[in-house]
Each structure stands twice: as C-alpha cells, then as structure tokens.
Amino acid sequence: MFSWIFIFRLLQIPKFVSAFSYNISVCYYKISEEFHHEGDVVIGAFFPLHTFYSLKKMSHSTIPYYYLDNVIQYNFKNYQYILALQFAIEEINANTNLLPNISLGFDFYNVRHIGKFIHSNTFNWLTALGDGNHIPNYNCKKRNFTAALTGTSWITSAQIGTLLQLFKFPQISFGPFDLLLSDHGQYPSLYQMAPKDTSLSLAIVSLMVHFRWTWVGLILPNDHKGNKILSDFREEMERNGICLAFVKMTPETWTSYVAKFWENMDETNVTIIYGEIDSLEGIMRNIEQRLLTWNVWIMNIEHHVIDRADYFMLDSFHGSLIFKHNYRENIEFTKFIQTVNPNKYPEDIYLPKLWYLFFKCSFSDTNCHVLENCQTNATLDIFPRHIFDMVMNAESTIIYNGVYAVAYSLHEMRLQLLQMQPYENHHGMVFFPWQLNTFLKNIVVKDKRSLDWRQTIDAEYDILNIWNLPKGLGLKVKIGSFSANAPLGQQLSLSEQMIQWPAMFSEIPQSVCSESCGPGFRKVTLEGKAICCYKCTPCADNEISNETDVDTCVKCPERHYANAEKSNCFQKSVSFLAYEDTLGMALASIALCLSVLTAFVIGIFVKHRDTPIVKANNRALSYILLITLTFCFLCSLNFIGKPTTVSCILQQTTFAVAFTMALATVLAKAITVVLAFKVSFPGRMIRWLMISRGPNYIIPICTLIQLLICGIWMATSPPFIDQDAHTEYGHIIILCNKGSSVAFHSVLGYLCFMALGSYAMAFLSRNLPDTFNESKFLSFSMLVFFCVWVTFLPVYHSTKGKVMVAMEVFSILASSTALLAFIFGPKCYIILLRPDKNSFNYIRKKTPSRKNFPKI
C-alpha cells in the first residue's frame, strides 16, 4: 500500500510544479488582509498566511511578476491554522451542552511581520470597521468580541498585546512559550497555551548521547530566547561530555550576513536548529537553497517548505529529526479537511487561491471569489505533504485547544451571569471582553484534547524523522519519543531501523571532533581545545581501560596483570625455579651428574688409596674435600623447587658451611704442602706442627667462624619467602629473600677471603718439584673460584626473579666444578690413564737431590 501511495505522490509532483509555469491570473495576486465568519460571539485570529516581497528579493522565484511592485508569497502550510479554528468553532456550535443558543464566529487578519500592519489590523478588529477608519473606544457594528488568538512569533503576540492590554482584552498566544510574555505586569491578560520547553535541551542532548554525537553545531535566534536556550544547552552538554563546534546566532539582516554565517559549518555532521518558524525563515530558506545533504538537522520546529518550484530530487532536510510535543492525533479533524472546498466557505479568501493554483480552476471575469471549470472531486487531502499536511500540527492543536478554552470560559461566565440576573435576551449574550479574564485564569479544560496553559513542566516529546526523498514526498514519521518523567535510562525511546538519514550517509552518521579512544587507551586533552578534542595515548604498564573514551586508566590489583591490549586484568600465575622448568631441570641434572662424578672420584681414590699419588697429597684431606664437594653440588638443589621457610634457611646455611669446609680443606692442603717442604729443613715449630697434625685444625676453626656468622644471620634477619610480581610479565615469582643483605655479603666475603688465603699459600709453593706438588692446581682452582664469585655479585644484583636464583645455582656449580676439575682431574688422569707414573720406582727416578731444591 505504501509503495502505491509513494508512486502516486511522485506522479503528482509534476502537476503541482507545472502550476507555477503557466500564466497566473491577476486575481491570484488580489488578496484581502482579512475575512470574517459570522457568529454571536467573535474570536479574533491573527495568523501569518501570506507576505509581500519586493521584486529584488524574489529574483529566484518562478512566479511571474506581471505589473506589480510586490509579489505575494503564500504559506499554505499555515492555512491549517484557519481550518483548526473553523473546525473547533463548528464542533462547539454543534454541541448543545456548550454555549447553547450562542454561536461562535471569528475574524481573521493576516500578520505580515511588520509592526504598523499588525497594529492596524488589531485596531480594525477592535473597532470592527475593516475600512481603515479607526474610531477609538467605539464599535459601530455592536459585535461581541471575546479574545484574540495570536502567533506564531512571540514578537507578533507582543506587538498585538501592547494594544490589547490597554483594554485588558483577553489574548491567547498559540506560539512557543516565551518568558517575556509571561510577565503579567506588562501583559496581564495574555495567556500562553503552549507548554514550556524546559525539557527540550535535555531531550535533544539525550539523543546526542544515544548516537555518541559529541561535536555538534547550534543555530539560534539572536534574541533573549536564543540566549536562554544556549545557556540550557551548554549546561546539559557539559554534564554529558558534548561540545559545541560552533554557535551561530541568526542576524536580523540576513542578506548582509549570509557569507560569514556559513563559515566553519562543515566542522560537524550534526547541527541543532532552535527557534520559532518566523525567526528562522531566512536560515531555513538558505539551507534549502544550498542543498546541504551532509548534515543532520535537529529542530524544534516543523520546517515549512516554501511553496515554489524546483526540479531537485534531493532535499537538505531529508533525514532531519524534529522534537515536537506529544499531542493526541485528532482523526475528526482529518475527516473535516476532506469536506473543505470554496463553495462550503465562500468567505474564505485562501481556498480559491488553492483551487486555482493546484486544480486548474479559473477565476470568473467578474468576481475573483468565484471559480469556474473546477474538478468536482477536488479535496485538500491529495495535496503533497510539503504543500499541505492533513495531520493537525502543534500550532493547530494549540489553536483548537485555545478556542475550547474560550468556549468553556464563556460558558462558565454565562452561567454565572444567569444566576446573578437574566442578561440574556433576544440580543444574545452581552458582556465586556475584560470580564472573561477571571474565567480564563481559573478554567481547567479537562478534555484530553485540551491543555492547561498553566502547566510548568513539558514532559513528553515525539521525535519525527523527515522522509523527503525524492523531494516532495514530505513524510514525517514518528521514530521515537522522550519522556522526562520516565526513570533514568528509559527516558529516550527510539526505533533506529526506521530512521532515514541524509542522502550522504549509508549508516548512522558520526559527529566527533576526535575519534574515540578504544579499550587500552585514555584521552589526553589538547591544550587550547574543547574537551571533545583530544588525542589517544596507551595506558601505562599494568593499567587498563575496558571502555571507550576514558579519562584515566585503572591500575590492576597487585596479584593481577594487564593483557597485551591493556583492556583486562588477569590473575597472575605463580612461578618459581621448578624442576619442571627447562632451566630448573637442566641445573638439577647438572648438579646430580656432578655429584655422581664426585662420588666416582671418591671411589677411584679409595680404590687406589695406597698408590703414591693418593698418599703423597694427604689422603685424608682429599677424602674430606671430595665429600664436601659432593655436598656443594647437592646443596644447589635447595634453590630449585617451590620455596619454603625451611628451604630458604637451608639454601644459605648449607651453601655457606659446605663451601667453607671445601675452602678450609684446600687451605689445609696448601699449608700441608708448604710444611712438608719445610721438613727438609726441620725446626722446632715446624716439627711440632707436623707431629701434632696442626693443619687439620684449620677445617673446624674456619667452619666454626662461618657457623658463627650464619648463626648471627639466622638470629637477626633470617631468609624468608618473598614474592616478585613485577619482574616477569603475568607471573608472581616466589623466591627466597636473603633477609639481611649485609649477612649474605659477609658470608660471600668470608669465602672469598679464604679463597685468597688458599691461593696465597699455594702460590708460595708453586716452585716445588712436580712429583710432590699440587699447589699449581690448588692456586689455579682458587683463582677460578674467586673469579666466579666476584663475577657473580654484579650479575646477581642486575637480575631478578628466577634468573637471579639460576645465577646463584650456576655459580655454586661452576665454582665446585672448578675445585673438582683442577684439583682432582690431573690425579685421576694419572691414576686411570698413566698408571706407570703412579709408582715408587718412577718417583725415585724423578726425585732431585736436596741441594737442588729451591728456597721458599
């Protein structure tokens, strides 16, 4: 059905456009400024329906000028105001329960937006002459006037009100609510029927938030209303993080400002237009001429397309969104419009123009109000929407409600007058207009079709989407609503799938100053720019942002870590140098292999314990050293596996004691070699030392000293289990904290001191005969041992976590291996591979005479 309607409307466009192309009768330009519909009580109606333009201002019009100095411009959209007035009056006159035996009528006066014409028309109505001869305070026709309906501009109501208020004449404004008109000191008998737009800024900003439009423009009238709504918009936008790309105030003289006005308009894809129809007529006309199809216009008014011909398929306002108050649709009004024609209302000065222009009627040669050659079935309901709308708009609804408000007030006043004394007679209802003010102030129309103009909150808005592609379709489709009284988060309701966007957009338009910062980034405001203009920077280490456009990133908890995208925190896994790790498994395997190798060497020495090479190098000390080295290799296993309190203590104590015994044994061996050489030149002290086996006391003495250091360490600040959550990404490393750094370095220092002592003693005996001398191997092993641990310290302090533990294990294994390899390696070589050198005969042959021994 919709497709057939669409095709029908499309086919009608050429017919309507062609209406402007043929010669137009002079009667079309002859128009009165007023017409009257008789009644016992008359309502004055001041509506803007036509305006005169000079030829210079209409250079782009397709209407021929003929010989007139001015060209008339009809706004047939506003003709609905007259029909709403007519419809309400006919309903009231047909209602026997409301103003029985009294009929309502109206006097219509066109408003040209020029002050002197407004005052002239107002004065004409008050004097009821209509010929321009004003007689103050005198009504020669003796007609009962009730109230004046004025609009749509607040300026129009204010100008008319200055004259009406002199007589306290009731005035009902159907235009947008204005604070200036609510000043009862200046306008004591003016009543505004329109609800206040206190929630409009909230409603529009809620739409911005929904579509994430943070960079928008604003066009306002350059008056007090524009300044007030600008303040409201700024407050709501700042609260919701929306920025204004520009603010344009429409000037009074539009033509002199047009070039400058459009500067920087391309900065945003969304522009809010707020104001009254009259004040924005120039800007709306200019937008249409410029064919701005890349902008979403959000308005509080229904754009009245000027009735002129063009051949564009595109329309600047297609896809625009309109916020209008939620009025109940009046089906009876639509049925009423279908019955309207010039014959039914011969006094109407606009119906003949419409029928002549769109139905190819012709004016009579003798009377411009008489039509000839008309279609018999012509009705208003076949007009395109951009010419005439069948649905009652907001202003027409307020006019309808205003007429009912006057009728109810008259009815209440009539009942009161009848109670006081029978004023009603054959002359009808007699009263003064100012008497109606008391009843208008107190009347509350309970009918749902009417409004109480004293309401202070406007809560409901319908959101309309303009469908005008191709141009001339002119549909306004409801795509959502806004209710300020709804719970927070449920105020805005939209059907996005129904929205048609401007022709330039294939999806929901974006209107931002800067692209959104996704998860893992935060906004950094640019200096000198609005808060909506920013750059995106990644979150710092271990910080996340899982939303868009955040100002600050959130730090992950201590036991959590940020993923690579920095959008989520994950639980850190516990890590330590485990046997299952490749590194831990390798180190443990090496330690065990070296321990087995050391045990194998012990076995070799035990098996060949009676050979010269084993006996010549202090067999007992060799056994002690090999057993100690076995423990040195095995103590490294304490560093592998999940740390416990016991293992942390054993790591340092077993390491310290085992290496102390090993170094003490090496020192004892070095001293033994020196003393053995000194026996060749015996002295009392040397002889006593050799007899009493003095070097053997070195081992327990040195070990006791190390035990004392360890005891103090364990008593004051023992090692404990610690956690490192920062070294390895995504892991919490469990390791042993040394407790006291001074004690740990004291242990290492003591070991290095013993190594240097052993090296010094071995160095003194470096020139002894090879057969008895192992001092070269002792000195070299001590040199390697010392280098390993001196190198260990800077590496240890420059690494963290499992690598630090692995470095300590490696140093233990390396230094122990050096002792094993350089001290016992050559001996095992001789024992296993050169047994001929391991005999007493070979030793006797190699032994030199004493006189050739070097001096020490």
Side-chain angles (χ1 to χ4, degrees):
M1 177 61 70
F2 176 78
S3 60
W4 285 106
I5 295 174
F6 177 81
I7 294 172
F8 174 75
R9 300 279 183 173
L10 190 60
L11 294 175
Q12 291 291 324
I13 292 176
K15 182 173 76 172
F16 295 124
V17 173
S18 65
F20 293 101
S21 59
Y22 54 75
N23 292 330
I24 297 180
S25 171
V26 176
C27 286
Y28 183 80
Y29 297 104
K30 291 182 179 180
I31 186 72
S32 173
E33 293 294 305
E34 61 187 72
F35 72 88
H36 312 279
H37 183 83
E38 294 299 327
D40 298 331
V41 180
V42 177
I43 297 175
F46 297 83
F47 304 155
L49 259 73
H50 66 267
T51 305
F52 291 96
Y53 292 92
S54 66
L55 295 180
K56 295 180 181 178
K57 294 183 179 178
M58 295 292 292
S59 57
H60 298 288
S61 176
T62 56
I63 301 177
Y65 303 136
Y66 291 95
Y67 308 105
L68 301 176
D69 293 332
N70 292 316
V71 174
I72 192 170
Q73 178 68 62
Y74 291 103
N75 191 346
F76 290 123
K77 271 275 190 178
N78 290 355
Y79 181 67
Q80 193 186 92
Y81 301 163
I82 294 178
L83 295 181
L85 175 64
Q86 183 78 48
F87 174 61
I89 286 177
E90 289 189 10
E91 270 194 346
I92 293 170
N93 290 340
N95 187 351
T96 57
N97 297 320
L98 185 62
L99 293 177
N101 302 323
I102 296 177
S103 64
L104 286 180
F106 68 86
D107 292 340
F108 165 78
Y109 292 89
N110 180 60
V111 176
R112 288 209 215 170
H113 311 298
I114 303 175
K116 64 178 182 179
F117 290 102
I118 293 176
H119 288 132
S120 175
N121 289 339
T122 307
F123 215 179
N124 280 344
W125 180 60
L126 289 174
T127 57
L129 291 176
D131 57 359
N133 298 317
H134 303 161
I135 303 176
N137 296 324
Y138 183 72
N139 182 346
C140 55
K141 292 186 179 182
K142 299 298 180 182
R143 305 171 73 196
N144 283 330
F145 300 124
T146 55
L149 285 169
T150 62
T152 57
S153 170
W154 71 271
I155 297 178
T156 300
S157 297
Q159 290 178 342
I160 296 175
T162 54
L163 185 58
L164 295 181
Q165 304 313 310
L166 296 176
F167 309 99
K168 299 189 183 311
F169 204 97
Q171 178 184 359
I172 296 176
S173 172
F174 64 89
F177 187 89
D178 192 279
L179 288 175
L180 287 183
L181 299 181
S182 61
D183 182 1
H184 294 293
Q186 188 174 0
Y187 304 102
S189 57
L190 190 150
Y191 308 95
Q192 297 188 74
M193 292 291 293
K196 296 180 180 179
D197 278 330
T198 54
S199 300
L200 181 62
S201 58
L202 174 61
I204 294 179
V205 170
S206 297
L207 183 74
M208 305 287 166
V209 173
H210 177 81
F211 288 116
R212 300 181 182 274
W213 293 334
T214 59
W215 189 241
V216 299
L218 187 58
I219 298 177
L220 304 168
N222 192 12
D223 55 21
H224 66 284
K225 292 190 71 173
N227 295 327
K228 175 63 171 61
I229 197 67
L230 176 59
S231 175
D232 294 343
F233 271 120
R234 287 191 188 278
E235 181 180 350
E236 287 294 336
M237 288 180 175
E238 288 178 2
R239 187 180 297 117
N240 291 276
I242 300 174
C243 303
L244 287 172
F246 58 82
V247 177
K248 302 287 186 178
M249 310 293 284
T250 56
E252 295 181 2
T253 307
W254 173 252
T255 54
S256 63
Y257 192 71
V258 62
K260 186 178 180 181
F261 185 87
W262 293 106
E263 293 178 356
N264 304 323
M265 287 286 286
D266 57 349
E267 290 186 4
T268 177
N269 293 328
V270 177
T271 302
I272 303 169
I273 301 178
Y274 174 86
E276 299 176 354
I277 296 175
D278 298 334
S279 63
L280 295 176
E281 181 179 351
I283 179 67
M284 304 296 263
R285 188 192 302 265
N286 205 267
I287 290 174
E288 197 172 25
Q289 291 173 349
R290 288 176 175 269
L291 204 62
L292 304 177
T293 59
W294 64 84
N295 213 309
V296 179
W297 308 101
I298 300 176
M299 303 176 287
N300 70 314
I301 58 174
E302 296 184 37
H303 172 46
H304 292 186
V305 181
I306 302 302
D307 184 13
R308 65 177 184 274
D310 59 44
Y311 299 92
F312 290 109
M313 292 289 287
L314 300 178
D315 177 41
S316 297
F317 293 99
H318 171 69
S320 298
L321 299 173
I322 300 174
F323 281 78
K324 60 172 290 187
H325 288 291
N326 183 11
Y327 297 107
R328 194 182 71 176
E329 185 177 355
N330 196 324
I331 303 299
E332 297 300 323
F333 177 71
T334 303
K335 295 179 181 178
F336 165 76
I337 289 179
Q338 295 172 348
T339 66
V340 173
N341 59 70
N343 295 327
K344 183 178 180 181
Y345 301 106
E347 73 278 5
D348 195 317
I349 61 176
Y350 293 102
L351 280 176
K353 316 296 182 183
L354 281 166
W355 253 248
Y356 167 77
L357 193 61
F358 296 108
F359 298 121
K360 296 183 179 181
C361 299
S362 59
F363 288 106
S364 172
D365 295 335
T366 58
N367 189 346
C368 286
H369 287 275
V370 178
L371 296 174
E372 300 174 348
N373 304 320
C374 287
Q375 301 177 15
T376 57
N377 60 345
T379 57
L380 292 171
D381 62 337
I382 68 170
F383 279 20
R385 296 291 181 90
H386 72 284
I387 299 297
F388 185 83
D389 200 342
M390 296 285 291
V391 179
M392 184 179 284
N393 60 31
E395 292 82 5
S396 298
T397 302
I398 295 176
I399 291 172
Y400 176 87
N401 294 333
V403 174
Y404 263 92
V406 172
Y408 278 117
S409 299
L410 285 170
H411 188 78
E412 293 293 329
M413 184 175 67
R414 181 169 177 262
L415 292 177
Q416 188 180 93
L417 293 176
L418 287 174
Q419 291 176 0
M420 295 175 61
Q421 60 184 26
Y423 276 89
E424 187 176 5
N425 50 37
H426 65 279
H427 293 294
M429 187 176 182
V430 179
F431 65 95
F432 293 102
W434 56 265
Q435 293 178 290
L436 196 63
N437 286 319
T438 302
F439 300 92
L440 279 171
K441 289 178 181 178
N442 297 324
I443 192 69
V444 176
V445 182
K446 297 180 181 179
D447 191 341
K448 292 183 179 179
R449 294 173 298 179
S450 302
L451 293 175
D452 177 8
W453 57 86
R454 296 174 299 165
Q455 66 185 20
T456 58
I457 297 177
D458 57 321
E460 304 291 334
Y461 288 93
D462 284 340
I463 305 175
L464 307 181
N465 183 216
I466 296 180
W467 293 5
N468 202 29
L469 184 67
K471 190 171 184 178
L473 180 61
L475 295 178
K476 295 189 292 291
V477 180
K478 180 179 177 180
I479 51 91
S481 61
F482 177 85
S483 176
N485 294 330
L488 191 64
Q490 302 177 16
Q491 296 174 320
L492 183 68
S493 174
L494 284 177
S495 298
E496 293 186 22
Q497 67 276 7
M498 294 181 60
I499 302 177
Q500 288 193 9
W501 299 109
M504 296 296 292
F505 301 105
S506 59
E507 56 185 11
I508 298 176
Q510 299 297 314
S511 187
V512 294
C513 180
S514 301
E515 292 297 328
S516 295
C517 296
F521 293 84
R522 65 180 178 88
K523 298 190 299 184
V524 177
T525 305
L526 300 176
E527 186 176 357
K529 299 287 185 178
I531 60 172
C532 300
C533 301
Y534 49 81
K535 66 177 182 179
C536 300
T537 185
C539 293
D541 292 339
N542 210 39
E543 292 185 354
I544 66 161
S545 64
N546 53 11
E547 297 178 357
T548 57
D549 295 336
V550 298
D551 295 317
T552 56
C553 298
V554 180
K555 193 174 184 64
C556 288
E558 186 68 23
R559 301 186 66 86
H560 292 72
Y561 70 98
N563 59 352
E565 294 78 16
K566 297 184 178 179
S567 59
N568 283 293
C569 290
F570 294 103
Q571 182 80 29
K572 289 182 178 180
S573 60
V574 176
S575 178
F576 48 87
L577 187 61
Y579 290 103
E580 293 80 9
D581 294 343
T582 303
L583 182 59
M585 187 179 296
L587 292 174
S589 299
I590 293 173
L592 291 174
C593 291
L594 291 174
S595 300
V596 172
L597 180 60
T598 306
F600 178 72
V601 174
I602 293 175
I604 293 174
F605 269 58
V606 171
K607 183 178 180 181
H608 300 86
R609 59 185 177 276
D610 295 326
T611 59
I613 197 168
V614 175
K615 296 176 66 177
N617 292 285
N618 199 326
R619 182 170 52 190
L621 292 179
S622 297
Y623 291 156
I624 294 174
L625 181 57
L626 286 170
I627 295 172
T628 305
L629 287 176
T630 304
F631 283 105
C632 289
F633 288 126
L634 293 177
C635 78
S636 62
L637 298 179
N638 288 326
F639 294 84
I640 304 174
K642 187 174 182 180
T644 61
T645 304
V646 175
S647 64
C648 288
I649 294 175
L650 289 178
Q651 283 179 9
Q652 307 307 322
T653 53
T654 56
F655 157 71
V657 172
F659 270 84
T660 300
M661 291 184 64
L663 293 177
T665 304
V666 173
L667 179 60
K669 288 176 71 69
I671 292 175
T672 301
V673 172
V674 174
L675 291 179
F677 177 75
K678 285 290 186 179
V679 169
S680 302
F681 308 94
R684 184 174 298 176
M685 181 61 67
I686 298 301
R687 186 181 297 272
W688 179 82
L689 287 174
M690 293 297 295
I691 294 172
S692 61
R693 299 182 178 272
N696 293 340
Y697 293 103
I698 294 175
I699 298 174
I701 293 173
C702 293
T703 304
L704 286 173
I705 294 173
Q706 187 68 284
L707 286 173
L708 179 62
I709 296 173
C710 291
I712 296 172
W713 182 6
M714 298 301 126
T716 56
S717 181
F720 58 90
I721 301 174
D722 198 4
Q723 295 181 354
D724 182 3
H726 308 287
T727 300
E728 191 170 342
Y729 182 75
H731 294 82
I732 298 177
I733 301 175
I734 300 178
L735 70 166
C736 292
N737 190 299
K738 299 299 186 293
S740 173
S741 178
V742 174
F744 174 69
H745 288 87
S746 298
V747 168
L748 289 182
Y750 181 68
L751 293 176
C752 289
F753 172 75
M754 292 183 63
L756 286 176
S758 301
Y759 174 76
M761 295 303 296
F763 184 79
L764 291 176
S765 59
R766 68 188 181 281
N767 293 323
L768 290 175
D770 291 342
T771 303
F772 298 99
N773 191 12
E774 65 175 350
S775 59
K776 289 183 179 180
F777 304 113
L778 294 177
S779 60
F780 193 71
S781 64
M782 289 299 99
L783 185 61
V784 173
F785 181 92
F786 182 79
C787 291
V788 167
W789 287 103
V790 169
T791 308
F792 162 79
L793 288 175
V795 176
Y796 175 81
H797 289 290
S798 62
T799 56
K800 298 290 184 182
K802 292 192 294 186
V803 179
M804 180 182 68
V805 178
M807 281 302 303
E808 190 169 357
V809 174
F810 176 78
S811 298
I812 293 172
L813 296 177
S815 57
S816 301
T817 304
L819 293 178
L820 178 64
F822 293 116
I823 295 176
F824 297 99
K827 297 176 181 180
C828 291
Y829 172 78
I830 294 175
I831 294 171
L832 298 176
L833 300 179
R834 299 297 301 273
D836 56 308
K837 292 184 178 182
N838 190 18
S839 64
F840 289 103
N841 292 329
Y842 179 79
I843 294 174
R844 292 191 187 98
K845 294 177 181 179
K846 295 291 292 181
T847 302
S849 62
R850 292 181 181 270
K851 61 181 179 181
N852 294 328
F853 284 2
K855 293 184 179 180
I856 298 177

